[in-house]
């Protein structure tokens, strides 16, 4: 069981490192998806540098990779705190388990 938890901790640390790397290299803003009359439209929402107002830019098919990157960014931003919480709880559990094993060995 201990080895399984250690493997899960390593997996979570690796996944969080990948998320951190991806989040460093993404454009500002977020993806907004709208469906109208049976068609799907993708928009890049971001704050303008000069006015600080939220701007909206239509994402064309040739810029589909931008929509993909923004979608991944949104997912990463939502998943990151959940993974961090799980990692913290697993590390705490492993630490407490090691204390219990140590106390049992002293008896």
């Amino acid at each position: 069981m201990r080895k399984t938890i250690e493997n899960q901790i390593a997996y979570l640390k690796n996944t969080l490192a990948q998320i951190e790397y991806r989040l460093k290299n993404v454009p500002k803003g977020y993806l907004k998806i709208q469906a109208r009359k049976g068609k799907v439209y993708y928009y890049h929402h971001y704050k303008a540098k000069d006015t600080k107002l939220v701007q909206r830019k239509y994402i064309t098919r040739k810029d589909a990779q931008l929509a993909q990157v923004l979608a991944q960014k949104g997912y990463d931003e939502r998943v990151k705190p959940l993974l961090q919480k799980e990692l913290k709880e697993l590390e705490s559990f492993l630490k407490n388990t090691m204390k219990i094993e140590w106390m049992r060995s002293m008896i």
Side-chain angles (χ1 to χ4, degrees):
M1 183 169 136
R2 182 176 168 186
K3 189 67 174 169
T4 304
I5 293 172
E6 289 173 347
N7 288 341
Q8 183 66 17
I9 288 172
Y11 172 78
L12 289 173
K13 286 182 178 180
N14 184 31
T15 303
L16 283 168
Q18 290 175 2
I19 287 172
E20 291 285 338
Y21 178 76
R22 282 194 304 258
L23 288 176
K24 284 182 185 176
N25 303 311
V26 293
K28 302 274 187 223
Y30 59 94
L31 178 67
K32 179 78 171 178
I33 302 171
Q34 290 185 337
R36 288 181 290 188
K37 297 182 181 180
K39 293 186 179 180
V40 179
Y41 299 90
Y42 300 96
Y43 295 93
H44 180 196
H45 283 241
Y46 58 94
K47 284 188 179 180
K49 292 179 182 177
D50 53 348
T51 62
K52 304 289 185 192
L53 296 175
V54 175
Q55 300 290 312
R56 180 171 103 157
K57 179 185 171 202
Y58 174 71
I59 300 173
T60 62
R61 285 184 188 227
K62 72 176 186 177
D63 292 332
Q65 187 168 0
L66 174 61
Q68 195 174 29
V69 168
L70 290 171
Q72 184 67 49
K73 176 187 175 185
Y75 175 80
D76 287 344
E77 287 175 339
R78 288 175 182 85
V79 166
K80 183 180 170 185
L82 300 173
L83 294 179
Q84 289 171 329
K85 182 179 178 185
E86 184 179 352
L87 178 61
K88 182 180 175 183
E89 290 173 358
L90 282 175
E91 288 175 336
S92 176
F93 178 78
L94 186 61
K95 182 180 174 183
N96 291 334
T97 304
M98 290 173 63
K99 284 181 183 177
I100 291 170
E101 288 176 3
W102 178 77
M103 286 196 269
R104 285 185 181 163
S105 69
M106 298 303 286
I107 298 177

